Amino acid sequence: MLKYSLKRIGYMLIVCFVVITITFFLVHLIPGDPILAMASEVPEDVRVVYMAKYGFDQPLYIQYFKFMGQLFSGNLGDSLRYPGRSVAEIIKSCAPISAQIGGISLAIGFIAGVVLGIFAAMNLNRWQDRTIMILSLIGTTLPVFVIATLVQYFLSVFWPIFPTTGWGGAEYLVLPVICMLVDPLATYARYMRSSVLDVIGQDYILTAEAKGASNFRIITRHILRNAFIPCLTMLVTSISGIVAGSFIIETVFSIPGLGRYLISAINDRDYSMVLGINVVITSFYILTVLLADILISAVDPRIRLADNKGRGKA
Amino acid sequence: MAVLLDVKNLSVSFRTMHGEVKAVRDVSFELHEGENLAIVGESGCGKTVTSKAILRLHDRSGGIVSEGSEILFEGKNIVRMSRKEIGEIRGNGISMIFQDSMTSLNPTMVIGKQIAENILIHKKTGKGESLSQAKKLLELVNVPDAAERMNQYPHQLSGGLRQRVMIAMAIACNPKILIADEPTTALDVTVQAQILELLSDLQKQFGMSVILVTHDFGVVANFADRIQVMYAGSIVERGKKEEIFSDPKHPYTWALLKSIPGRHQGHKGELYSIRGTPPDLLLPLEHCPFSPRCEYCMPICKKRRPEEKYMTETHGIACWLTHEKAPRVDNPLKIGGEARAR
């Protein structure tokens, strides 16, 4: 297990390194520079002074090594757009906001979606199933900005229950969470339904039936766990996305989240911000993948991490 | 011997996009106490559908048991039972072993629990008691290191062991009837012999009746008391083992026996095979279903279905050749008998 863990950590570091390197050069490939992005009519001599101040006059590879050196000492640097504020500080303040909205909406969407999916599969081809499937089709196809506008109109203009935009107490959380949970809800409902139907057709369900197991027992003991495994695998990709936030939702609702900062940082050519946010998102992604592997191996005995016993097809 | 199971006029069909597939057509047979009955036939002849219908396992897959079908178990008609009543018989009075033990065991449940589940459902025992019974069952079916195996998952076991687990599961509640649907097909030959021996031992020990569904006459020869040969959803010949092996009367049985490797291979060493393919079960088949492939086909065979005719009390044949006006055809399998219909 130790050897396996070391291997995994090694891979994680390599992935991190590759992603950061690629991002670094990609960001610098964008035409323009941070000073021009802030003010278009800067005299050339002033621009040169500023470029020299931040070290942008040096060759790219030297900037790269300097950046990597800084990164290894745990420093993400200062923001160019917001002088005096460090990148780490900004991320620390806005990542939890994105994670909060993303986490809550994913949790609700996932649980409700899975439950609806099971319910639909149990009522296959009846009106309950058809209703859920039609609604989930609408849910997956409706763009999030359309949902956001509808939700804003009905829940804060027509019936002024929640604030339209902004960030503060729990009441500001409701509308963005509603918008963000539609997609996971619809996706997981469809996914879980087909997964359950797939399991129902398996031979071992027939075996359980031949034992005389009741319908309830077949569902709870034999169908659910097996049908849940594919959903869990898919959940990983969803979880890894929550910290990055949703640019659209954060813009529509004026929420100071990571997604909005990332996009504006790219527009501002705020190199250190873009790289810093990317480091955080990448690390989070890699960590969730690791977490997911552990989780799935706990649910699916056929996958045992670094298990040499038995004939597991790990 | 008392009749334990009485199947009368059983017909099972499946609705598909192309129409109604009549998989089992008016099949009647009896199973006596302590008897080994083998149902033999090629793929798609309805033998598995027949055996599953006994436990009404088609409810979920959309199989329709037609009106007038009766399956009497201990005097009660299984076809008309409520979900609860049939649930009490499944795994308790009648249990079943399936062909592919890999897919027939739940991949995410340890095998100990899967065996104990059967006991838990039917006997009023606690969890601990049913688990210790499950362990005894594993020992009974000769699984080595039973205690350790209890906590293993199906994928950690070999095919032979998995089939033993399936058997342990099936006999957990001392069923009166054990239906084994091709229990050895997925296994290699040496393991096949072990599993059959185990089944035969258990059958004697518990006094069960066994319905063995197979396409392998080799398996049948070692195991069965009585044999029913099925073709296109109907029984074409039935009889005691000796009657079927030494005095078969139906051309289909002849052809099947001839197809066994090593027995009647010609001097070229070529393996005999029945020409053609089985009929489409969507068709009504009002003639003899085997007639297009039969070497002894007569004009009547293509017009009307033959009635089943009994040669002895147990030996029945559904073939026009048994008719008194039909030409005499000798069993081609008899030594020196390579007769052809004129």
Side-chain angles (χ1 to χ4, degrees), chain A residues 91 94-103 106 180 236-247 250 256-262 276-285 288:
Chain A
I91 291 173
C94 63
I97 296 174
S98 289
Q100 205 178 347
I101 299 173
L106 181 61
M180 296 263 299
V236 181
T237 34
S238 307
I239 292 179
S240 53
I242 61 173
V243 121
S246 159
F247 168 67
E250 286 168 9
L258 204 59
R260 217 164 62 124
Y261 268 99
L262 178 62
I277 293 175
N278 251 305
V279 170
V280 171
I281 292 176
T282 309
S283 331
F284 187 77
Y285 189 92
T288 36

Side-chain angles (χ1 to χ4, degrees), chain A residues 76-93:
Chain A
L76 290 175
D78 288 334
S79 167
L80 305 176
R81 186 79 172 83
Y82 311 98
R85 288 183 72 188
S86 75
V87 171
E89 192 186 305
I90 296 175
I91 291 173
K92 226 183 263 171
S93 73

